[in-house]
Amino acid sequence: MAFQNIIVETRGKVGLVTLNRPQALNALNEALIAELNEALTSFESNPGVGCAVLTGSEKAFAAGADVKEMAEKGYIESYLGKFLDGWTRVAETRKPVIAAVSGFCLGGGLELAMMCDLIIASETARFALPEITLGIMPGAGGTQRLPRFIGKAKAMDLILTGRMMDATEGERCGLVARVVTADKLLDEALTAAAKIAGYSQPIVMMAKETVNRAQEMSLSEGVRFERRLFLSMFATEDQKEGMQAFIEKRKPRFQDR
């Protein structure tokens, strides 16, 4: 596929997407999002890909949504055109997606990173939702996802002041899973993705779905949902293989069945 705004690769069982609008610090426009969705759909349908990594440049993961594209939009045009509707594809991807973040991760860039399943950040990463400074607020899930990551008080602080948060603070408050040096960021993300992709794909997808359900339902309902999926795993060949391999002290050979 010929993409203009992203670079798509596969590294073994890992799909890698690099945002590639360096002239705009990877600002997210509708063309980029459409290409990203196409790439994720191809990964989703490819049984040889078990996990994806989404990254940007050393200077910027994504410096936000493209303000030049948004500035002249009107309400009716945006409403009828379903502006931002296509941005949720990352969150809807059944296979795990890791965000590897270096440099600026602002506005829509942070919203995109939060749609991924975990964020691995370099020490240079800087996070913010600065929409308030433009006379708007986050509109691609930022006001909903950020409190779930870091709590109401800290989310209010970032959203209402527009201030920037570094990688250390991001890890401390639960936004970031790991912080590594900039030169090791992509290797760390690819290694984590390869490890995930090496497990049983159906089981990984069920585990992802169960954790995501925890954000949407009560504890008792979540535990009930978890139990149902857990018991269903005993109907899979991979559960039998995984446990037999443990008993025989060997590495399991999962077949995604």
Side-chain angles (χ1 to χ4, degrees):
M1 300 178 190
F3 295 112
Q4 303 300 314
N5 300 284
I6 61 175
I7 299 169
V8 179
E9 309 170 57
T10 54
R11 306 275 186 96
K13 295 186 71 174
V14 176
L16 173 62
V17 177
T18 304
L19 305 181
N20 188 38
R21 294 190 73 214
Q23 74 284 2
L25 293 177
N26 292 333
L28 307 172
N29 60 13
E30 292 184 346
L32 185 152
I33 294 297
E35 290 182 3
L36 174 60
N37 291 347
E38 187 176 346
L40 291 173
T41 298
S42 71
F43 291 157
E44 193 88 306
S45 62
N46 184 350
V49 173
C51 187
V53 172
L54 177 58
T55 193
S57 67
E58 186 174 340
K59 191 172 184 179
F61 175 77
D66 193 325
V67 176
K68 292 180 180 178
E69 186 176 74
M70 290 191 296
E72 299 304 319
K73 284 185 178 293
Y75 170 67
I76 293 299
E77 172 197 356
S78 301
Y79 179 77
L80 294 178
K82 297 183 178 180
F83 179 49
L84 296 181
D85 277 14
W87 288 49
T88 59
R89 180 68 179 89
V90 176
E92 295 163 359
T93 302
R94 296 178 73 197
K95 295 177 182 179
V97 183
I98 297 174
V101 175
S102 190
F104 296 116
C105 184
L106 313 178
L110 177 51
E111 291 175 305
L112 182 64
M114 288 191 293
M115 293 181 208
C116 299
D117 298 299
L118 65 140
I119 299 173
I120 298 177
S122 82
E123 295 170 331
T124 68
R126 296 293 181 270
F127 303 94
L129 290 176
E131 286 88 345
I132 201 78
T133 68
L134 301 175
I136 57 172
M137 70 176 190
T143 65
Q144 304 305 298
R145 289 191 174 89
L146 192 62
R148 286 171 166 81
F149 273 93
I150 67 177
K152 177 185 174 182
K154 179 103 34 199
M156 283 288 194
D157 182 12
L158 267 67
I159 291 168
L160 297 184
T161 69
R163 78 171 179 87
M164 207 168 288
M165 179 169 64
D166 65 20
T168 300
E169 184 181 359
E171 183 180 34
R172 187 171 66 242
C173 67
L175 176 66
V176 173
R178 311 180 195 178
V179 178
V180 298
T181 57
D183 61 316
K184 294 181 179 177
L185 174 64
L186 189 56
D187 285 344
E188 184 81 7
L190 290 171
T191 297
K195 187 169 187 177
I196 292 168
Y199 298 129
S200 167
Q201 285 191 34
I203 303 303
V204 166
M205 288 190 283
M206 288 182 197
K208 169 178 172 169
E209 182 182 2
T210 306
V211 173
N212 284 335
R213 284 293 188 100
Q215 308 296 317
E216 307 289 340
M217 57 177 60
S218 67
L219 176 61
S220 60
E221 287 300 313
V223 169
R224 189 172 291 113
F225 181 80
E226 176 193 74
R227 186 65 49 80
R228 287 197 204 101
L229 282 190
F230 174 75
L231 294 177
S232 75
M233 292 172 183
F234 286 81
T236 68
E237 294 180 22
D238 285 341
Q239 173 267 330
K240 300 295 185 290
E241 167 61 15
M243 292 192 174
Q244 191 61 38
F246 177 84
I247 293 169
E248 296 175 2
K249 296 181 171 58
R250 60 173 174 83
K251 187 176 180 179
R253 295 180 291 272
F254 295 122
Q255 301 296 316
D256 301 327
R257 294 197 292 265

